[in-house]
Amino acid sequence: MSSKYKVLIVEDEKNICHLIGALLEADGYQAVPARDFANGRMLYFSHRPDLIILDLGLPDGDGMDLLREIRKDSLVPVIVLSARADESDKVEALDLGANDYVTKPFSSAELMARVRSALRTAARYSGTALSPDGTFTRDDLLIDYGARRVFIDQSEIKLTHTEFDILSYLSRCSGKVVTYSAIIKEIWGYSDSGSVKKLQVNMANMRKKLGAKPGKKNYIENELGIGYRM
């Protein structure tokens, strides 16, 4: 099934580009390599890939600018693969619409796991997480957007107004890392010195109600220092 997936690799380091291409081909994907910004842009528009692995430090441009251009007309999954490990770079890339951010040096197994995850999410929620009846389902979790009600295994979970708004927003971005700043802007419309702490308190209460436990597969993952992923 994975053989139908076309992955564009925009990476200027020859050895890394070849390694990623070999990993993808070994798993049955079609790898489309690009060694600079201009070639990556051209191949994106000509091949319309199913997923993009994007380096930021390209010799003829910044990968952030290519990400901005892609997000003008496409929701194709983008995994940023960069040596930039600063939190600000991660936040900027995720706020611009990257689905994931992997820092160099990277684990081959982890990168391929993230590729599979991004493609699964894109296939499952192509365009939207909304069902025709206005609900979202994941395993035994059901969110009824219209009625503002949440159920786990058919038992209703009582959330506050703010908790429901946060859960609703994360579910509509399912599979993506959503930064603290993006959630705060969506829920409260403004940010101040206490915004992150306020978000974290609401998240802790909501995750507890959803049955989150250490070491267990939970509905919402905490990407430490960055944000959350449903």
Side-chain angles (χ1 to χ4, degrees), residues 114-190:
R114 293 185 186 232
V115 166
R116 291 190 294 271
S117 176
L119 288 170
R120 276 198 308 269
T121 300
R124 189 178 299 161
Y125 303 109
S126 53
T128 178
L130 270 168
S131 298
D133 62 352
T135 63
F136 171 95
T137 57
R138 170 65 59 83
D139 298 327
D140 55 359
L141 171 70
L142 183 140
I143 303 171
D144 186 328
Y145 295 115
R148 296 181 64 85
R149 300 175 73 187
V150 178
F151 300 85
I152 292 180
D153 197 20
Q154 300 184 339
S155 297
E156 186 168 3
I157 307 299
K158 296 293 186 180
L159 300 181
T160 66
H161 183 90
T162 299
E163 289 166 359
F164 181 87
D165 287 345
I166 295 172
L167 181 64
S168 174
Y169 180 51
L170 289 175
S171 69
R172 294 169 192 268
C173 302
S174 181
K176 290 182 61 176
V177 177
V178 187
T179 62
Y180 297 141
S181 60
I183 300 171
I184 290 165
K185 182 178 179 182
E186 174 71 19
I187 304 304
W188 289 284
Y190 66 92

Side-chain angles (χ1 to χ4, degrees), residues 80-94:
V80 170
L81 180 66
S82 176
R84 299 180 193 173
D86 288 349
E87 185 177 302
S88 59
D89 290 311
K90 295 180 182 180
V91 169
E92 182 181 1
L94 293 167

Side-chain angles (χ1 to χ4, degrees), residues 59-80:
D60 56 341
D62 193 319
M64 293 285 195
D65 292 328
L66 183 56
L67 177 58
R68 285 188 185 93
E69 189 164 357
I70 290 167
R71 281 294 174 257
K72 287 179 182 178
D73 74 340
S74 174
L75 292 173
V76 60
V78 177
I79 298 175
V80 170

